[in-house]
Amino acid sequence: MTTTPARRFRTPGADPHFASDNIAGAHPEILEAITAVNDDAAAYGADAASEAFGETIDDIFGTGAYSFPVFNGTGANIVSLQAISHPHSSVICADTAHVYTSESSAPVRAGITLKPQPHHRGKLRPEDVVKVLASDVGNPQATQPTAVSISQVTEMGTVYTPEELTDLCNVVHEAGLAIHMDGARLSQAAAALGLDLHGATTALGVDILSLGATKNGAMGAEAVVVLSNRVPEDVLAPIIKYTTQLASKTRFLSAQLNAMFGTSLWHRNASAANTAAIYLAEGLAAIPGVEVQTPDANTVLAAMPEALVNTLREHYIAHLWGNNDAGLPIVRLVCSWATTTAKVEELLQVLRA
């Protein structure tokens, strides 16, 4: 008797395009960059591409910023949080934060205690941090907070404004804490805000950044970027090693990051994704019974009757994202650099039929 091995993930639907922006393939410029370094080179970051990436980070984020390429977003988040916390402290985050909801036991394994707070459309507010400080600091029965972690774009598809982020960073710093940004979609947020990457991070007070490229057209590359002196200089390198994020052939990660951030590719791809999301949201809003949250970036949240959800999920992998105040299920749809008008129209036609 033979049995069919269980699939690792089971999701309704066939077409995965709008399930996430990490569904899309690698951008041609990324593939060209990988091919260009496909030759002998020094290992562990001593190659020319990795040296160039260090210079790119310095140019983008300012003198004193430094970075390490890593394999994935969870790796970037865990390395970053370990650099600004210790096993006997806590990290404050929203209860929707990816590091809290979707990174399994990685924080626990790394000795990180997360302190999730009720979100406000995915965001933390200064008063949320103040509340935790008031209850935990000096309390011998509580872990002592050393850091705050936020996502930009948030898991609810929203984007912190510069004013919101500045206010939050000020409260965090006044308390002697450091702030980490999960920037898996930082490019999309910066493009939506009309800011460069420095203006969306360093200039607002972010101390350490998980810089995402995979969800914006890379094959698979992220980076940990230190932006302030609140992060000790000597901690990052050993953390990279013992968290198994040190690549021997670092040049293949660095080449992707150079192609993404050393050119305008990050902005072009992010703008394309954001524009597609606006087009999708407008199309969905015109369908009777569908209520759409105006997208801040490239994520569309649409509440719709159960029958429409079922119709959609017959054709597309579409993740459910809770319910609205009227009890309608909310579907999350994410656009990428590769989302075309034709792709959007195909989805809309399914719901119009």
Side-chain angles (χ1 to χ4, degrees):
M1 179 179 176
T2 60
T3 59
T4 303
R7 290 175 56 193
R8 188 176 173 205
F9 298 111
R10 291 187 178 275
T11 49
D15 188 339
H17 183 84
F18 293 95
S20 179
D21 38 9
N22 60 17
I23 296 296
H27 191 278
E29 292 178 35
I30 296 291
L31 298 177
E32 291 173 9
I34 293 172
T35 301
V37 298
N38 191 25
D39 203 349
D40 293 353
Y44 300 110
D47 58 280
S50 296
E51 291 287 339
F53 179 56
E55 294 173 2
T56 296
I57 289 298
D58 194 71
D59 291 341
I60 293 173
F61 293 103
T63 302
Y66 61 96
S67 178
F68 282 85
V70 295
F71 295 112
N72 51 46
T74 295
N77 286 342
I78 297 306
V79 168
S80 296
L81 293 179
Q82 282 190 297
I84 55 176
S85 64
H86 55 74
H88 309 292
S89 66
S90 63
V91 175
I92 304 166
C93 64
D95 59 4
T96 52
H98 195 275
V99 72
Y100 175 64
T101 65
S102 304
E103 296 185 5
S104 187
S105 59
V108 176
R109 177 66 180 82
I112 297 167
T113 299
L114 297 175
K115 194 84 172 182
Q117 302 302 302
H119 71 96
H120 310 275
R121 295 184 67 216
K123 300 177 183 180
L124 276 181
R125 292 176 177 170
E127 53 264 38
D128 301 321
V129 175
V130 171
K131 179 181 177 182
V132 176
L133 296 175
S135 65
D136 289 6
V137 172
N139 180 353
Q141 294 181 312
T143 52
Q144 298 302 291
T146 57
V148 171
S149 180
I150 62 164
S151 301
Q152 181 76 313
V153 177
T154 75
E155 284 68 32
M156 299 305 291
T158 53
V159 171
Y160 286 89
T161 66
E163 294 77 18
E164 288 174 329
L165 191 49
T166 298
D167 289 345
L168 184 59
C169 288
N170 286 342
V171 167
V172 171
H173 293 156
E174 286 169 5
L177 279 59
I179 189 158
H180 161 254
M181 176 184 284
D182 178 350
R185 297 186 176 96
L186 172 62
S187 294
Q188 291 85 340
L193 293 170
L195 298 173
D196 61 19
L197 297 175
H198 176 277
T201 54
T202 314
L204 305 179
V206 176
D207 296 306
I208 192 165
L209 167 68
S210 298
L211 179 61
T214 306
K215 291 179 177 176
N216 198 33
M219 178 178 285
E222 315 283 299
V224 176
V225 185
V226 175
L227 302 173
S228 85
N229 58 13
R230 291 182 181 85
V231 184
E233 287 189 20
D234 59 346
V235 301
L236 210 56
I239 294 172
I240 293 284
K241 182 63 175 178
Y242 69 66
T243 53
T244 69
Q245 290 293 318
L246 179 62
S248 59
K249 297 182 180 180
T250 314
R251 64 189 181 278
F252 291 110
L253 299 177
S254 297
Q256 297 178 67
L257 296 166
N258 284 330
M260 181 68 67
F261 299 109
T263 73
S264 63
L265 184 59
W266 73 268
H267 193 274
R268 285 182 277 130
N269 282 2
S271 296
N274 292 351
T275 299
I278 292 171
Y279 185 73
L280 174 60
E282 291 174 347
L284 289 169
I287 297 173
V290 177
E291 300 176 12
V292 183
Q293 173 182 301
T294 302
D296 283 358
N298 67 318
T299 301
V300 177
L301 297 184
M304 59 186 70
E306 195 77 41
L308 279 182
V309 173
N310 293 337
T311 298
L312 178 65
R313 299 184 93 191
E314 288 174 6
H315 299 271
Y316 291 90
I317 295 174
H319 297 298
L320 298 179
W321 228 244
N323 298 80
N324 71 358
D325 292 340
L328 291 176
I330 298 171
V331 174
R332 187 192 77 155
L333 302 168
V334 187
C335 296
S336 74
W337 70 270
T339 303
T340 62
T341 299
K343 269 285 188 186
V344 173
E345 282 297 333
E346 288 173 8
L347 183 147
L348 294 174
Q349 191 55 42
V350 165
L351 295 177
R352 291 171 183 149

